[in-house]
Amino acid sequence: QVQVVESGGGLVQAGGSLRLSCAVSGSIFGINTMGWYRQAPGKQRDLVATITGGGTINYADSVKGRFTISRGNTKNTVYLQMNSLKPEDAAVYYCNARTIRSDLWGQGTQVTVSS
């Protein structure tokens, strides 16, 4: 059974940093794009950052220069380094992994930023 598991969320003060991790386990092949999305209460789920298998990266304008997405050596892992966090970054962060046939989501990890 394929699973997408996020970790690394938590409570941090404004200006602080967190590192999110995501791993896809199980029998799955051909993961291309992996990424992070976030959803604050009462809002839609928005893109934070994506990275393709070839290394092409896309960031939301709101996180450019503060967040860094990277893939692990196994290519089934993805990380999000979040620096200079702001209260408006608080949300549930979801990991996404895509193949030609599948669009996989994790359960989400909560990020809380205190002002």
XYZ file of all heavy atoms in Angstrom:
856
model
N 0.838 -1.188 0.000
C 0.000 0.000 0.000
C 0.877 1.242 0.000
O 1.813 1.347 0.779
C -0.908 0.009 1.222
C -1.872 1.181 1.256
C -2.802 1.128 2.456
O -2.767 0.178 3.238
N -3.618 2.145 2.597
N 0.592 2.166 -0.870
C 1.384 3.382 -0.971
C 0.946 4.376 0.108
O -0.241 4.603 0.315
C 1.223 4.016 -2.355
C 2.010 5.319 -2.437
C 1.681 3.049 -3.444
N 1.937 4.951 0.771
C 1.663 5.951 1.794
C 2.524 7.183 1.570
O 3.691 7.076 1.177
C 1.943 5.398 3.189
C 0.906 4.402 3.695
C 1.143 4.032 5.134
O 2.251 3.699 5.530
N 0.079 4.084 5.938
N 1.945 8.322 1.864
C 2.668 9.588 1.840
C 2.632 10.131 3.261
O 1.558 10.399 3.796
C 2.023 10.591 0.873
C 2.799 11.902 0.875
C 1.944 10.011 -0.531
N 3.806 10.287 3.847
C 3.874 10.654 5.261
C 4.711 11.909 5.438
O 5.877 11.945 5.037
C 4.456 9.515 6.110
C 4.520 9.924 7.577
C 3.616 8.245 5.949
N 4.091 12.923 6.026
C 4.800 14.171 6.308
C 5.234 14.203 7.774
O 4.602 13.572 8.634
C 3.910 15.395 6.059
C 3.291 15.491 4.691
C 1.840 15.086 4.690
O 1.443 14.283 5.549
O 1.095 15.582 3.810
N 6.265 14.974 8.042
C 6.707 15.215 9.412
C 7.419 16.554 9.475
O 7.785 17.113 8.430
C 7.634 14.093 9.889
O 8.793 14.028 9.083
N 7.588 17.044 10.699
C 8.382 18.250 10.886
C 7.602 19.497 11.224
O 8.201 20.545 11.487
N 6.289 19.413 11.227
C 5.511 20.591 11.598
C 5.632 20.878 13.078
O 6.217 20.115 13.847
N 5.077 22.011 13.485
C 5.115 22.366 14.890
C 4.849 23.827 15.104
O 4.367 24.525 14.207
N 5.177 24.279 16.316
C 4.979 25.670 16.706
C 6.317 26.394 16.685
O 7.303 25.906 17.237
C 4.361 25.730 18.105
C 4.268 27.105 18.766
C 3.331 28.009 17.982
C 3.815 26.956 20.210
N 6.331 27.553 16.052
C 7.559 28.344 15.976
C 7.199 29.812 16.081
O 6.098 30.218 15.690
C 8.306 28.034 14.665
C 7.503 28.471 13.451
C 9.685 28.650 14.656
N 8.118 30.599 16.605
C 7.891 32.035 16.662
C 8.141 32.668 15.297
O 8.921 32.142 14.486
C 8.823 32.674 17.684
C 8.457 32.372 19.132
C 9.298 33.172 20.110
O 10.422 33.557 19.801
N 8.754 33.413 21.294
N 7.503 33.783 15.067
C 7.738 34.517 13.819
C 9.233 34.805 13.680
O 9.904 35.175 14.642
C 6.945 35.814 13.821
N 9.723 34.589 12.467
C 11.145 34.746 12.204
C 11.942 33.466 12.334
O 13.109 33.416 11.936
N 11.306 32.453 12.880
C 11.979 31.176 13.072
C 11.944 30.297 11.839
O 11.485 30.709 10.770
N 12.427 29.072 12.023
C 12.557 28.129 10.917
C 11.980 26.770 11.284
O 11.967 26.383 12.453
C 14.036 27.946 10.542
O 14.605 29.162 10.114
N 11.521 26.069 10.263
C 11.107 24.680 10.367
C 11.504 23.949 9.105
O 11.598 24.573 8.033
C 9.584 24.564 10.542
C 8.966 24.855 11.906
C 7.447 24.802 11.808
C 9.456 23.892 12.965
N 11.699 22.654 9.241
C 12.004 21.818 8.075
C 10.984 20.702 8.010
O 10.879 19.892 8.939
C 13.411 21.255 8.163
C 13.818 20.351 7.000
C 15.259 19.916 7.191
N 15.689 18.876 6.287
C 16.182 19.077 5.070
N 16.273 20.300 4.607
N 16.571 18.062 4.321
N 10.247 20.657 6.927
C 9.267 19.598 6.706
C 9.877 18.494 5.856
O 10.662 18.775 4.941
C 8.026 20.143 6.017
C 7.310 21.314 6.690
C 6.048 21.677 5.901
C 6.981 21.016 8.129
N 9.489 17.275 6.167
C 9.951 16.126 5.397
C 8.750 15.331 4.913
O 7.712 15.295 5.572
C 10.833 15.224 6.247
O 11.972 15.910 6.716
N 8.915 14.675 3.789
C 7.853 13.843 3.236
C 8.485 12.631 2.574
O 9.440 12.770 1.806
C 7.031 14.624 2.221
S 5.849 13.626 1.283
N 7.932 11.476 2.856
C 8.417 10.248 2.251
C 7.251 9.454 1.681
O 6.213 9.316 2.336
C 9.170 9.410 3.275
N 7.451 8.941 0.480
C 6.459 8.076 -0.163
C 6.955 6.645 -0.058
O 8.062 6.343 -0.510
C 6.254 8.449 -1.633
C 5.211 7.531 -2.270
C 5.843 9.904 -1.762
N 6.164 5.806 0.554
C 6.560 4.410 0.723
C 5.565 3.505 0.026
O 4.439 3.890 -0.280
C 6.628 4.066 2.209
O 5.347 4.194 2.812
N 6.002 2.269 -0.216
C 5.142 1.318 -0.890
C 5.562 1.113 -2.330
O 6.521 1.701 -2.815
N 4.791 0.290 -3.014
C 5.127 -0.069 -4.386
C 4.593 0.979 -5.350
O 3.432 0.953 -5.740
C 4.555 -1.443 -4.731
O 4.895 -1.803 -6.048
N 5.452 1.899 -5.702
C 5.065 2.927 -6.656
C 6.282 3.293 -7.488
O 7.388 3.358 -6.980
C 4.490 4.171 -5.949
C 3.950 5.174 -6.988
C 5.503 4.807 -5.026
C 3.102 6.256 -6.399
N 6.048 3.509 -8.773
C 7.140 3.827 -9.675
C 6.829 5.094 -10.454
O 5.680 5.434 -10.674
C 7.376 2.659 -10.637
C 7.715 1.381 -9.954
C 6.729 0.433 -9.729
C 9.007 1.122 -9.527
C 7.028 -0.752 -9.083
C 9.311 -0.061 -8.886
C 8.317 -0.996 -8.664
N 7.889 5.727 -10.865
C 7.707 6.847 -11.777
C 7.201 8.118 -11.154
O 6.491 8.891 -11.804
N 7.569 8.370 -9.876
C 7.190 9.651 -9.291
C 7.919 10.753 -10.036
O 9.138 10.722 -10.162
C 7.514 9.712 -7.797
C 6.649 8.734 -7.026
C 7.298 11.127 -7.264
C 6.952 8.682 -5.545
N 7.189 11.719 -10.520
C 7.811 12.827 -11.220
C 7.818 14.048 -10.306
O 8.775 14.305 -9.600
C 7.091 13.138 -12.521
C 7.784 14.255 -13.281
O 8.927 14.653 -12.962
N 7.129 14.790 -14.276
N 6.738 14.770 -10.277
C 6.695 15.998 -9.490
C 6.284 15.700 -8.050
O 5.339 14.951 -7.802
C 5.702 16.991 -10.099
O 6.110 17.285 -11.434
C 5.642 18.274 -9.284
N 7.013 16.294 -7.137
C 6.619 16.289 -5.726
C 6.516 17.739 -5.277
O 7.175 18.622 -5.830
C 7.630 15.536 -4.865
C 7.720 14.063 -5.208
S 8.740 13.131 -4.051
C 7.647 13.030 -2.618
N 5.688 17.950 -4.270
C 5.525 19.327 -3.849
C 4.827 19.466 -2.522
O 4.426 18.480 -1.894
N 4.729 20.701 -2.113
C 4.073 21.070 -0.871
C 2.957 22.063 -1.158
O 3.132 23.001 -1.949
C 5.074 21.686 0.094
C 6.095 20.718 0.595
C 7.325 20.493 0.075
C 5.958 19.844 1.717
N 7.965 19.524 0.793
C 7.146 19.108 1.820
C 4.948 19.608 2.654
C 7.360 18.149 2.811
C 5.152 18.663 3.637
C 6.339 17.942 3.717
N 1.856 21.842 -0.500
C 0.708 22.735 -0.557
C 0.298 23.051 0.873
O 0.651 22.314 1.793
C -0.455 22.077 -1.309
C -0.170 21.837 -2.771
C 0.715 20.840 -3.177
C -0.767 22.624 -3.750
C 0.992 20.625 -4.516
C -0.505 22.423 -5.097
C 0.371 21.414 -5.466
O 0.637 21.223 -6.797
N -0.441 24.116 1.056
C -0.893 24.451 2.399
C -2.326 24.955 2.380
O -2.789 25.508 1.394
C 0.028 25.484 3.056
C 0.019 26.852 2.398
C 1.105 27.741 3.033
N 1.126 29.073 2.456
C 2.065 29.979 2.723
N 3.069 29.681 3.548
N 2.011 31.177 2.172
N -2.978 24.745 3.514
C -4.365 25.157 3.638
C -4.588 25.739 5.027
O -4.430 25.037 6.029
C -5.310 23.984 3.397
C -6.770 24.380 3.338
C -7.645 23.243 2.820
O -7.259 22.079 2.822
N -8.845 23.584 2.360
N -4.932 27.011 5.059
C -5.273 27.675 6.312
C -6.772 27.527 6.551
O -7.539 27.293 5.614
C -4.882 29.150 6.242
N -7.215 27.662 7.791
C -8.647 27.509 8.092
C -9.511 28.449 7.258
O -9.230 29.647 7.153
C -8.725 27.868 9.573
C -7.384 27.539 10.107
C -6.423 27.876 9.004
N -10.524 27.889 6.628
C -11.459 28.678 5.835
C -10.958 29.088 4.472
O -11.635 29.845 3.762
N -9.768 28.596 4.103
C -9.205 28.964 2.800
C -8.976 27.727 1.953
O -8.989 26.606 2.440
C -7.897 29.737 3.007
C -8.070 31.063 3.727
C -6.782 31.848 3.741
C -6.975 33.208 4.389
N -5.706 34.006 4.389
N -8.723 27.945 0.677
C -8.458 26.834 -0.218
C -7.024 26.358 -0.053
O -6.189 27.061 0.517
C -8.696 27.263 -1.673
C -7.719 28.307 -2.177
C -8.004 28.726 -3.614
O -9.081 28.472 -4.158
N -7.046 29.361 -4.245
N -6.770 25.165 -0.573
C -5.428 24.623 -0.548
C -4.620 25.273 -1.668
O -5.008 25.249 -2.828
C -5.461 23.103 -0.725
C -4.138 22.423 -0.512
C -4.271 20.916 -0.585
N -5.142 20.387 0.460
C -5.313 19.094 0.700
N -4.668 18.198 -0.037
N -6.120 18.690 1.673
N -3.487 25.837 -1.301
C -2.662 26.574 -2.259
C -1.296 25.934 -2.417
O -0.745 25.353 -1.485
C -2.458 28.022 -1.794
C -3.733 28.841 -1.861
O -4.557 28.609 -2.760
O -3.899 29.729 -1.003
N -0.735 26.122 -3.585
C 0.617 25.649 -3.861
C 1.628 26.439 -3.046
O 1.516 27.664 -2.934
C 0.927 25.779 -5.345
C 2.321 25.381 -5.815
C 2.246 24.771 -7.216
C 3.270 26.580 -5.846
N 2.610 25.734 -2.498
C 3.744 26.379 -1.842
C 4.975 26.251 -2.722
O 5.613 27.240 -3.071
C 4.014 25.754 -0.462
C 5.264 26.373 0.163
C 2.808 25.926 0.455
N 5.297 25.009 -3.100
C 6.466 24.770 -3.931
C 6.373 23.383 -4.541
O 5.827 22.467 -3.927
C 7.751 24.893 -3.126
N 6.903 23.252 -5.759
C 6.985 21.952 -6.402
C 8.369 21.764 -6.998
O 9.067 22.739 -7.304
C 5.937 21.784 -7.514
O 6.135 22.803 -8.499
C 4.524 21.861 -6.968
N 8.735 20.503 -7.175
C 10.010 20.167 -7.798
C 9.815 18.931 -8.648
O 9.228 17.936 -8.202
C 11.119 19.961 -6.736
C 12.453 19.642 -7.405
C 10.720 18.915 -5.713
C 13.639 19.690 -6.424
N 10.261 18.989 -9.896
C 10.114 17.854 -10.787
C 11.293 16.900 -10.628
O 12.301 17.220 -9.988
C 10.045 18.312 -12.249
O 11.324 18.833 -12.630
C 8.971 19.371 -12.446
N 11.176 15.741 -11.263
C 12.269 14.789 -11.224
C 13.530 15.338 -11.867
O 14.642 14.957 -11.496
N 13.363 16.254 -12.790
C 14.506 16.861 -13.443
C 15.070 18.054 -12.696
O 16.061 18.650 -13.134
N 14.428 18.397 -11.582
C 14.953 19.472 -10.754
C 14.352 20.843 -11.004
O 14.801 21.830 -10.414
N 13.339 20.923 -11.832
C 12.691 22.216 -12.057
C 11.836 22.566 -10.846
O 11.030 21.766 -10.399
C 11.802 22.176 -13.301
O 12.628 21.876 -14.434
C 11.123 23.518 -13.524
N 12.027 23.777 -10.334
C 11.383 24.203 -9.095
C 10.457 25.379 -9.356
O 10.772 26.269 -10.155
C 12.442 24.581 -8.044
C 13.203 23.321 -7.585
C 11.804 25.290 -6.858
C 14.365 23.604 -6.657
N 9.346 25.350 -8.650
C 8.378 26.438 -8.727
C 7.955 26.813 -7.313
O 7.657 25.938 -6.500
C 7.156 25.995 -9.538
C 6.131 27.095 -9.677
O 6.475 28.247 -9.917
N 4.861 26.756 -9.528
N 7.959 28.101 -7.015
C 7.556 28.588 -5.701
C 6.380 29.544 -5.832
O 6.281 30.303 -6.802
C 8.686 29.358 -5.021
C 9.871 28.541 -4.591
C 11.068 28.613 -5.280
C 9.802 27.715 -3.472
C 12.173 27.873 -4.876
C 10.899 26.975 -3.055
C 12.081 27.060 -3.773
O 13.173 26.329 -3.365
N 5.527 29.542 -4.823
C 4.547 30.603 -4.713
C 5.274 31.911 -4.430
O 6.303 31.922 -3.743
C 3.571 30.296 -3.576
N 4.762 32.998 -4.959
C 5.427 34.292 -4.768
C 5.598 34.620 -3.285
O 6.596 35.234 -2.892
C 4.624 35.398 -5.446
C 4.727 35.340 -6.959
O 5.662 34.692 -7.472
O 3.878 35.944 -7.630
N 4.657 34.213 -2.479
C 4.670 34.572 -1.061
C 5.797 33.911 -0.277
O 6.107 34.345 0.839
C 3.328 34.212 -0.414
O 3.078 32.824 -0.530
N 6.411 32.875 -0.833
C 7.464 32.167 -0.095
C 8.827 32.274 -0.754
O 9.827 31.791 -0.196
C 7.106 30.679 0.116
C 5.728 30.548 0.755
C 7.177 29.890 -1.180
N 8.891 32.887 -1.906
C 10.171 33.002 -2.610
C 11.190 33.727 -1.739
O 10.890 34.744 -1.123
C 9.981 33.749 -3.925
C 9.329 32.932 -5.019
C 9.181 33.741 -6.305
C 8.526 32.902 -7.391
N 8.299 33.683 -8.628
N 12.398 33.172 -1.697
C 13.462 33.762 -0.909
C 13.463 33.335 0.541
O 14.424 33.605 1.275
N 12.398 32.677 0.989
C 12.321 32.225 2.389
C 12.253 30.700 2.505
O 12.782 30.128 3.459
C 11.080 32.825 3.062
C 11.055 34.343 3.088
C 9.888 34.865 3.923
N 8.593 34.466 3.384
C 7.683 33.761 4.059
N 7.939 33.374 5.302
N 6.527 33.455 3.493
N 11.602 30.057 1.550
C 11.440 28.606 1.578
C 12.312 27.969 0.504
O 12.520 28.543 -0.574
C 9.991 28.220 1.310
C 9.020 28.571 2.404
C 9.370 29.400 3.463
C 7.727 28.070 2.366
C 8.459 29.725 4.454
C 6.802 28.372 3.356
C 7.176 29.207 4.402
N 12.789 26.755 0.791
C 13.585 26.004 -0.173
C 13.079 24.571 -0.226
O 13.018 23.896 0.814
C 15.070 26.006 0.206
O 15.545 27.355 0.292
C 15.883 25.258 -0.843
N 12.740 24.128 -1.425
C 12.293 22.746 -1.613
C 13.439 21.936 -2.188
O 14.233 22.446 -2.996
C 11.049 22.679 -2.537
C 10.460 21.272 -2.541
C 11.388 23.151 -3.951
C 9.103 21.176 -3.244
N 13.534 20.676 -1.792
C 14.595 19.813 -2.314
C 14.106 18.369 -2.311
O 13.199 18.006 -1.554
C 15.871 19.964 -1.487
O 15.643 19.612 -0.134
N 14.726 17.565 -3.163
C 14.413 16.137 -3.234
C 15.524 15.364 -2.556
O 16.695 15.751 -2.591
C 14.286 15.659 -4.691
C 13.161 16.250 -5.477
C 11.826 15.592 -5.195
N 11.658 14.294 -5.783
C 11.044 14.077 -6.950
N 10.599 15.091 -7.664
N 10.883 12.834 -7.389
N 15.154 14.226 -1.975
C 16.156 13.354 -1.413
C 16.806 12.498 -2.481
O 16.366 12.471 -3.624
N 17.837 11.788 -2.097
C 18.565 10.953 -3.052
C 17.707 9.828 -3.608
O 17.913 9.388 -4.743
C 19.812 10.370 -2.384
C 20.861 11.432 -2.099
O 20.920 12.441 -2.799
N 21.656 11.213 -1.079
N 16.749 9.362 -2.839
C 15.903 8.265 -3.292
C 14.836 8.731 -4.266
O 14.185 7.904 -4.888
C 15.182 7.608 -2.103
O 14.290 8.557 -1.523
C 16.167 7.128 -1.061
N 14.658 10.050 -4.393
C 13.651 10.644 -5.274
C 12.236 10.405 -4.798
O 11.289 10.901 -5.415
C 13.797 10.142 -6.716
C 15.154 10.423 -7.324
C 15.453 11.915 -7.376
C 16.800 12.177 -8.020
N 17.174 13.601 -8.008
N 12.045 9.619 -3.750
C 10.719 9.448 -3.161
C 10.559 10.265 -1.902
O 9.623 10.047 -1.126
C 10.448 7.977 -2.860
C 10.124 7.192 -4.103
O 10.202 7.715 -5.202
N 9.763 5.939 -3.926
N 11.484 11.164 -1.660
C 11.415 12.046 -0.515
C 11.543 13.492 -0.977
O 12.198 13.782 -1.979
C 12.523 11.741 0.502
O 13.794 11.809 -0.161
C 12.349 10.354 1.099
N 10.908 14.352 -0.230
C 10.977 15.776 -0.534
C 10.999 16.539 0.785
O 10.400 16.115 1.771
C 9.809 16.221 -1.435
C 8.464 16.095 -0.709
C 10.018 17.633 -1.955
N 11.696 17.661 0.783
C 11.855 18.465 1.976
C 11.447 19.904 1.683
O 11.496 20.355 0.541
C 13.306 18.435 2.449
C 13.844 17.042 2.627
C 14.610 16.446 1.631
C 13.579 16.313 3.785
C 15.095 15.160 1.775
C 14.065 15.026 3.941
C 14.820 14.460 2.935
O 15.296 13.179 3.089
N 11.058 20.588 2.742
C 10.759 22.010 2.628
C 11.410 22.717 3.800
O 10.975 22.560 4.939
C 9.255 22.268 2.610
C 8.849 23.714 2.347
C 9.192 24.116 0.903
C 7.359 23.932 2.615
N 12.457 23.476 3.516
C 13.098 24.292 4.532
C 12.401 25.642 4.551
O 12.368 26.332 3.532
C 14.587 24.468 4.223
C 15.327 25.361 5.205
C 15.403 24.751 6.596
O 15.666 23.563 6.737
N 15.185 25.568 7.617
N 11.858 25.986 5.700
C 11.103 27.231 5.819
C 11.815 28.159 6.791
O 11.952 27.836 7.978
C 9.682 26.936 6.318
C 8.931 25.934 5.448
S 7.214 25.719 5.941
C 7.423 24.964 7.545
N 12.277 29.282 6.293
C 12.968 30.278 7.099
C 12.152 31.564 7.160
O 11.265 31.782 6.335
C 14.353 30.565 6.527
C 15.243 29.350 6.503
O 15.159 28.475 7.370
N 16.122 29.284 5.514
N 12.480 32.389 8.118
C 11.815 33.687 8.281
C 10.297 33.528 8.263
O 9.584 34.251 7.549
C 12.259 34.648 7.162
O 13.652 34.821 7.173
N 9.822 32.598 9.042
C 8.390 32.305 9.039
C 7.573 33.479 9.545
O 7.987 34.207 10.459
C 8.109 31.061 9.877
C 8.437 29.746 9.160
C 8.612 28.612 10.144
C 7.348 29.419 8.147
N 6.410 33.640 8.940
C 5.485 34.713 9.284
C 4.179 34.102 9.795
O 3.845 32.959 9.453
C 5.186 35.560 8.054
C 6.410 36.137 7.369
C 6.030 36.873 6.084
C 7.242 37.429 5.371
N 6.872 38.145 4.134
N 3.417 34.847 10.568
C 2.132 34.323 11.027
C 1.232 33.853 9.884
O 0.487 32.878 10.035
C 1.526 35.505 11.783
C 2.707 36.268 12.292
C 3.739 36.139 11.199
N 1.322 34.519 8.745
C 0.484 34.127 7.608
C 0.930 32.822 6.953
O 0.242 32.307 6.071
C 0.428 35.244 6.556
C 1.774 35.767 6.110
C 2.188 37.029 6.855
O 2.000 37.089 8.095
O 2.726 37.953 6.196
N 2.066 32.284 7.366
C 2.490 30.970 6.874
C 1.822 29.827 7.636
O 1.926 28.664 7.237
C 4.006 30.810 7.014
C 4.786 31.738 6.117
O 4.398 31.909 4.945
O 5.795 32.304 6.597
N 1.147 30.138 8.718
C 0.498 29.102 9.510
C -0.581 28.407 8.698
O -1.430 29.064 8.074
C -0.108 29.715 10.773
N -0.545 27.092 8.700
C -1.491 26.303 7.915
C -1.185 24.828 8.134
O -0.189 24.478 8.783
C -1.368 26.636 6.428
N -2.031 23.983 7.571
C -1.694 22.565 7.446
C -0.962 22.406 6.117
O -1.470 22.833 5.069
C -2.941 21.667 7.485
C -2.549 20.212 7.284
C -3.681 21.848 8.806
N 0.206 21.825 6.171
C 1.027 21.630 4.978
C 0.886 20.188 4.505
O 1.065 19.240 5.288
C 2.482 21.956 5.295
C 2.748 23.439 5.348
C 2.222 24.224 6.370
C 3.503 24.069 4.357
C 2.443 25.591 6.408
C 3.739 25.437 4.392
C 3.194 26.187 5.415
O 3.423 27.543 5.448
N 0.595 20.053 3.220
C 0.367 18.745 2.619
C 1.451 18.440 1.584
O 1.799 19.295 0.761
C -0.994 18.697 1.921
C -2.177 18.837 2.842
C -2.708 20.087 3.110
C -2.750 17.723 3.433
C -3.804 20.229 3.952
C -3.841 17.853 4.276
C -4.356 19.109 4.531
O -5.442 19.239 5.368
N 1.907 17.215 1.618
C 2.850 16.734 0.612
C 2.080 16.099 -0.539
O 1.070 15.409 -0.317
C 3.792 15.719 1.240
S 4.981 14.985 0.108
N 2.551 16.324 -1.737
C 1.923 15.771 -2.935
C 2.972 15.082 -3.790
O 4.084 15.602 -3.964
C 1.245 16.891 -3.719
C 0.692 16.419 -5.048
O 1.267 16.686 -6.097
N -0.425 15.713 -5.008
N 2.606 13.933 -4.333
C 3.498 13.194 -5.234
C 2.686 12.741 -6.445
O 1.600 12.195 -6.292
C 4.099 11.991 -4.525
N 3.242 12.977 -7.611
C 2.492 12.679 -8.837
C 3.266 11.744 -9.758
O 4.464 11.892 -9.957
C 2.179 13.968 -9.594
C 1.238 14.877 -8.845
C 0.923 16.131 -9.621
N 0.050 17.007 -8.868
C -0.323 18.223 -9.260
N 0.103 18.688 -10.411
N -1.118 18.948 -8.508
N 2.528 10.775 -10.298
C 3.035 9.965 -11.385
C 2.088 10.171 -12.569
O 1.151 10.963 -12.481
C 3.061 8.484 -11.007
O 1.709 7.995 -10.900
C 3.756 8.264 -9.667
N 2.326 9.439 -13.644
C 1.435 9.539 -14.803
C 0.018 9.128 -14.419
O -0.966 9.676 -14.926
C 1.958 8.673 -15.953
C 3.259 9.265 -16.485
C 0.930 8.578 -17.069
C 3.915 8.434 -17.569
N -0.099 8.158 -13.511
C -1.397 7.598 -13.179
C -1.936 8.008 -11.823
O -3.116 7.768 -11.536
C -1.322 6.071 -13.216
C -0.937 5.515 -14.563
C -0.895 4.004 -14.540
N -0.547 3.446 -15.846
C -0.411 2.159 -16.089
N -0.595 1.279 -15.121
N -0.095 1.735 -17.294
N -1.092 8.589 -10.966
C -1.525 8.811 -9.584
C -1.255 10.231 -9.130
O -0.311 10.879 -9.568
C -0.786 7.848 -8.646
O -0.992 6.511 -9.004
N -2.096 10.671 -8.213
C -1.933 11.970 -7.558
C -2.118 11.699 -6.075
O -3.245 11.525 -5.607
C -2.965 12.958 -8.077
C -2.692 14.378 -7.633
O -1.579 14.640 -7.127
O -3.586 15.236 -7.774
N -1.012 11.629 -5.362
C -1.021 11.156 -3.986
C -0.861 12.317 -3.006
O -0.062 13.225 -3.235
C 0.115 10.154 -3.774
C 0.135 8.970 -4.743
C 1.418 8.179 -4.558
C -1.072 8.088 -4.544
N -1.587 12.216 -1.906
C -1.529 13.245 -0.868
C -1.275 12.624 0.496
O -1.767 11.531 0.795
C -2.852 14.014 -0.806
C -3.120 14.848 -2.002
C -3.795 14.470 -3.132
C -2.698 16.204 -2.217
N -3.825 15.525 -4.020
C -3.170 16.581 -3.492
C -1.977 17.134 -1.464
C -2.933 17.865 -4.028
C -1.760 18.393 -1.997
C -2.231 18.744 -3.259
N -0.532 13.346 1.308
C -0.370 12.956 2.694
C -1.501 13.499 3.540
O -2.401 14.194 3.050
N -1.443 13.184 4.832
C -2.488 13.611 5.762
C -2.281 15.047 6.239
O -3.197 15.643 6.800
C -2.520 12.672 6.968
C -2.997 11.272 6.619
C -4.411 11.268 6.086
O -5.320 11.803 6.702
N -4.606 10.681 4.904
N -1.109 15.575 6.035
C -0.846 16.954 6.425
C -0.130 17.065 7.753
O -0.258 16.192 8.622
N 0.612 18.142 7.902
C 1.297 18.440 9.150
C 1.055 19.913 9.483
O 1.148 20.777 8.616
C 2.801 18.115 9.060
O 3.419 18.328 10.331
C 3.519 18.950 8.013
N 0.731 20.168 10.734
C 0.357 21.512 11.152
C 1.583 22.373 11.405
O 2.516 21.953 12.098
C -0.481 21.447 12.433
C -0.901 22.787 12.985
C -1.968 23.452 12.143
O -2.974 22.847 11.811
N -1.749 24.727 11.802
N 1.565 23.562 10.846
C 2.584 24.573 11.130
C 1.888 25.760 11.780
O 0.945 26.322 11.202
C 3.315 25.015 9.851
C 4.229 26.203 10.145
C 4.122 23.855 9.282
N 2.321 26.115 12.964
C 1.766 27.241 13.694
C 2.869 28.257 13.931
O 3.955 27.897 14.396
C 1.173 26.784 15.038
O 0.197 25.757 14.804
C 0.513 27.945 15.762
N 2.603 29.510 13.624
C 3.592 30.576 13.774
C 3.019 31.626 14.718
O 1.981 32.232 14.422
C 3.948 31.206 12.419
C 5.051 32.253 12.606
C 4.382 30.135 11.424
N 3.687 31.825 15.832
C 3.223 32.810 16.809
C 3.893 34.148 16.545
O 5.063 34.214 16.180
C 3.537 32.340 18.225
O 4.937 32.213 18.403
N 3.124 35.197 16.756
C 3.656 36.545 16.493
C 4.252 37.153 17.747
O 4.126 36.616 18.841
C 2.546 37.442 15.951
O 1.467 37.479 16.864
